[in-house]
Amino acid sequence: MDTRSLHNLVIPGWMVFELHLNYSELRIYALIYGFSQGGQGEFYGSLQYLADWCGLANASNVRRVLNSLINKGLMRKYTDTELTKNGHIKRKIHYQAIVPENMWKEI
């Protein structure tokens, strides 16, 4: 069984009616929000994971949607680098959903 079958995606009404996102933006925002509620967590999964969950063809489409959310001030992107044991540089990118200030009253 695919592990995604064991998870769910919750899309609260305020995301639908207040943020005015398109279908792909809404699904990716909601998915990452699930990992980062309350500003305590972040999404460390792959772009392919997001593509699979949201029905997008590839990671390039996911990047486009993430950049749109970042430009709208709804997503924060972090980049970490580390040196591996064999001397290579490994870059990790993770994301955090940002809830607009005016939404905190309604949540």
Side-chain angles (χ1 to χ4, degrees):
M1 175 184 286
D2 187 340
T3 58
R4 288 173 296 171
S5 301
L6 303 173
H7 300 132
N8 59 12
L9 175 64
V10 176
I11 301 177
W14 62 267
M15 286 184 193
V16 175
F17 299 109
E18 301 296 329
L19 298 182
H20 308 288
L21 302 173
N22 69 35
Y23 180 77
S24 297
E25 290 171 334
L26 178 62
R27 290 189 55 137
I28 287 179
Y29 180 82
L31 186 60
I32 294 175
Y33 175 81
F35 287 93
S36 55
Q37 288 184 40
Q40 300 301 314
E42 297 166 359
F43 175 77
Y44 288 91
S46 69
L47 296 179
Q48 190 59 51
Y49 178 87
L50 292 172
D52 292 344
W53 256 95
C54 299
L56 296 171
N58 54 46
S60 178
N61 290 342
V62 173
R63 272 190 218 94
R64 180 185 48 77
V65 172
L66 287 168
N67 285 333
S68 175
L69 291 168
I70 290 166
N71 290 336
K72 291 178 179 183
L74 296 172
M75 192 70 56
R76 191 171 291 133
K77 176 181 177 181
Y78 299 96
T79 305
D80 295 329
T81 56
E82 65 181 47
L83 192 59
T84 64
K85 291 179 183 178
N86 59 2
H88 293 97
I89 295 175
K90 182 178 181 180
R91 185 174 72 145
K92 293 186 210 175
I93 299 174
H94 42 110
Y95 296 90
Q96 183 178 45
I98 300 170
V99 178
E101 285 292 322
N102 61 330
M103 297 308 307
W104 282 114
K105 298 173 193 165
E106 298 181 28
I107 298 176

